[in-house]
Amino acid sequence: MNGCACARRWFAPFIVALGAVVTMPAFARDQHHHAMTLDRDGMVMNANADTLPEDCSEISDNIEIEIRVGRDHALRGLTYGFNQHEWRVPPCSRLIVTLVNEDEVRHQWMVHGLPRYLYPQGMFHLEVSGGKRKTGTFIVPSDDATYLAHCDISQHTEQGLKGQIVVGGGGDSLPSIPGISAPRFPDRY
Ligand SMILES: [Cu+2]
């Protein structure tokens, strides 16, 4: 009995230390890959105000975009909406984006498909608590392209929070952008 308790006393700190070793690198790895600022109002991930995409020789323009998000902007049949679902910007422009959340629930404006050498996982991401706002800056590349911007919180994309950033002449338009494009597969009912 005594020996058993003794072993447990020895074991407890060991387990705590092991836990720290196992969890710390994962945390550190995430910090390394994503440049993130975070407070109680929300989060800006992978902001880039200064580093030019390698295909751009200079910043072509500074574009300030205010995006309001919430139920009041939902189009017919949808639950949520952005105040607009398409943003047209020049190649190599610097976008200073403010996401204003008019709902109680959390929302995001998450951009995909950006160059991975500048934006980890190709993402730029704003996330804002209910009733708050966040501003973040990023620079788009030179090529004509269309980037998905959406809210990745459960079902919010399908419920209306899907948009596209059209750089220059744009690429292929994305399906199911509220007010912009039809679904890829029409409803059968
Ligand atoms: Cu959302």
Side-chain angles (χ1 to χ4, degrees):
M1 288 297 263
N2 198 23
C4 181
C6 220
R8 210 178 297 142
R9 264 200 300 278
W10 175 84
F11 219 67
F14 175 75
I15 293 295
V16 170
L18 184 69
V21 167
V22 169
T23 52
M24 281 290 281
F27 178 73
R29 195 162 52 238
D30 201 44
Q31 291 297 298
H32 175 74
H33 280 299
H34 287 289
M36 182 166 81
T37 63
L38 174 70
D39 62 27
R40 52 195 302 174
D41 288 357
M43 181 178 80
V44 181
M45 191 187 277
N46 301 340
N48 169 34
D50 301 310
T51 306
L52 284 172
E54 57 191 22
D55 49 328
C56 297
S57 56
E58 60 181 5
I59 300 288
S60 63
D61 203 351
N62 289 299
I63 312 284
E64 289 191 41
I65 301 174
E66 185 179 270
I67 301 166
R68 281 169 284 122
V69 57
R71 291 174 184 273
D72 289 349
H73 303 287
L75 297 183
R76 192 186 168 89
L78 296 168
T79 307
Y80 303 112
F82 297 116
N83 65 312
Q84 59 187 98
H85 291 88
E86 183 178 88
W87 303 271
R88 293 186 168 268
V89 301
C92 299
S93 56
R94 181 194 277 134
L95 310 189
I96 304 114
V97 181
T98 300
L99 184 63
V100 182
N101 187 351
E102 299 178 350
D103 275 347
E104 304 285 302
V105 298
R106 205 157 43 99
H107 285 304
Q108 306 170 328
W109 193 74
M110 186 187 280
V111 181
H112 293 270
L114 295 166
R116 287 173 179 250
Y117 64 86
L118 262 185
Y119 304 94
Q121 295 179 31
M123 284 168 50
F124 169 81
H125 178 189
L126 296 174
E127 182 163 326
V128 185
S129 304
K132 304 294 184 184
R133 60 168 60 213
K134 269 282 165 207
T135 301
T137 301
F138 68 109
I139 303 167
V140 297
S142 70
D143 41 332
D144 290 343
T146 297
Y147 300 93
L148 169 67
H150 71 133
C151 177
D152 197 38
I153 292 169
S154 176
Q155 299 297 315
H156 288 198
T157 303
E158 295 83 347
Q159 290 171 340
L161 296 185
K162 184 174 180 183
Q164 60 186 12
I165 304 161
V166 179
V167 177
D172 292 336
S173 187
L174 301 170
S176 301
I177 304 290
I180 306 281
S181 59
R184 181 165 290 152
F185 304 105
D187 291 333
R188 290 181 174 278
Y189 52 81

